[in-house]
Amino acid sequence: MSDASFSQLPLAAAQLENLESLGYTRMTDIQAAALPPALAGKDLIAQAKTGSGKTATFTLPLLSKLNPRDFGAQALILCPTRELATQVAAETRRLARHQPNVKVVTLCGGQPIGPQIGSLEHGAHIVVGTPGRIKDHLRKATLDISRINTLVLDEADRMLEMGFLDDISSIIEATPESRQTLLFSATYPSDIRKMSSRFQRAALEVTVVATHDEQHISQKFYICSREKKLESLNRIIAYHAPEAAVIFCNTKATVRDVTAHLKDHGNRALALHGDLEQRDRDQVLVQFTQQSCRLLVATDVAARGLDIDDLPAVINYDLPRDPDQYTHRIGRTGRAGKTGLALSLFADNERYKLEGIAADHDREVEFEAVETLPASGEALPAPGFVTLCIAGGRKQKVRPGDILGALTGAGGIDGKAVGKINVMEHVAFVAVQRKLAKPALQQLQAGKIKGRKFKVRRL
């Protein structure tokens, strides 16, 4: 975190007030380095990872030149996955709150294209999406990007890894040459530099190496037999008892196996992988961020876009094949000066991965046998919150305050018992303390939100 304040930037007073209300006080290192040139209209190639504050780094410049009275698409943000696109769109809406009627549309695969076409017909200032689905809309002529003034390539290295180069190239060629192009990448492989030289003009290079302080992260490695890996996972979870953890696996099949095993042993665990429908993925992510699920089992690709400021722990059920991916995983905990815990399991045939991590971090990595931990069959305590799902969202003009009012009004639930509220396009989610989940559900089912009855269920 830098010492620089957002007030030093040429931002509108209303935006500065909005930033303060959102908890943006001091700029992160990437924001301090990249925002001044980006706000001045320069093209950027910036090295920044998840959790570094990069979303605000590209969103504030595009908002500063947005014309809310023009409902043509003025900014396009390309992301590798649906999860990241959804996350970026949500943060963009928060950062745009001071400007009336700014419309942000998310266009991703895995969702019906019909409603997306309907949204675009009503106009969109900012489009956030994955390359494949953006290309679909261009092919159908349902999206016009000929007047884009800001193009953002977020996690560009990941998009290239996923084979999106041709799609990205054809999308960029449909935008004006006069646009500002902001390219963000966790790494700078040669193909990223080729992309920059091809599509950017005199791009300023901004590199912020430290995205998290490993001094705040306690890293522990446990060796176990391959046959007893699931049992070993139980042991480290029971011993360390994290409030919440993301458990990383290398394949979708392993995610399913691990999730089923944890559930069989009394843990509240949810799976996040590429085969889930978007609706199910949204529900999983919301339950985890609303603290109604303690353990999220995920692949790396599915977990991209999962940005939690206060994640107590990450667990590597499988060590990643790439040492850089290990750094990326553990960087999700121990943020903003908080302490974090990174636990890793490995079998003897994975020892070479441990050696790769040690070489990458330029230090010896110590490990111990998992049997040194006491054997315990205990599951984690039930989560403190329960998530309720309401069949109405932004399209039905539902706002967080409406949900809170429906819960707390007329002698209802104490407002202190209500946790996070997430409002999406057609659905909303509210976290309520577990002991009050039943009366809260009854209160919403019996009452009205904004004068309307909505179906409500417990997840």
Side-chain angles (χ1 to χ4, degrees), residues 7 92-93 233 235 444:
S7 61
T92 299
R93 289 187 187 98
L233 178 64
R235 195 183 285 237
L444 289 177

Side-chain angles (χ1 to χ4, degrees), residues 357-372:
I357 291 166
D360 195 57
H361 287 238
D362 196 26
R363 64 180 178 83
E364 275 192 47
V365 172
E366 296 179 356
F367 61 89
E368 56 189 296
V370 75
E371 288 81 10
T372 60

Side-chain angles (χ1 to χ4, degrees), residues 108 115 163 174 191 193 210 243 294 315 338:
C108 299
D191 46 4
R193 296 197 177 279
E243 278 293 311
R294 287 189 184 277
I315 299 173
K338 295 186 174 74

Side-chain angles (χ1 to χ4, degrees), residues 224-240:
C224 64
S225 70
R226 196 163 49 166
E227 298 75 24
K228 292 188 176 179
K229 209 169 181 187
L230 285 167
E231 183 186 311
S232 300
L233 178 64
N234 284 354
R235 195 183 285 237
I236 65 169
I237 289 173
Y239 179 76
H240 290 283

